[in-house]
Amino acid sequence: MDDYLPRDCVVDMSGLTFMDSSGIALILKICRLMAETGGRAWVENARNQPLKVIDASGIDRMVKITTGAE
């Protein structure tokens, strides 16, 4: 991200079946970096277990999350 400075960053979770607090930290870091450069970040295709972690953490109030069903 530092080399290319994208305007948009999509975190595609379609292949992710497990996530813990490290995943939450990564999403928050990406969102912070994108906000600092005037960009946008969001999560797409969150599956069941990662979605439960996202919901429990409350970051869905700060980051747009889609499940692919929308």
Side-chain angles (χ1 to χ4, degrees):
M1 287 180 48
D2 292 336
D3 292 339
Y4 297 104
L5 297 174
R7 301 296 291 160
D8 294 326
C9 180
V10 178
V11 180
D12 182 1
M13 293 187 156
S14 59
L16 188 67
T17 58
F18 175 81
M19 185 174 77
D20 60 11
S21 60
S22 297
I24 297 298
L26 177 66
I27 293 169
L28 291 174
K29 183 175 182 173
I30 289 169
C31 290
R32 183 181 51 81
L33 287 171
M34 293 304 294
E36 287 174 359
T37 61
R40 302 177 303 165
W42 63 94
V43 174
E44 290 187 352
N45 304 312
R47 296 170 74 180
N48 287 341
Q49 192 277 337
L51 191 57
K52 288 178 184 178
V53 174
I54 289 169
D55 288 341
S57 72
I59 67 166
D60 54 330
R61 292 183 294 250
M62 301 179 329
V63 180
K64 180 180 176 184
I65 311 289
T66 67
T67 62
E70 291 124 20

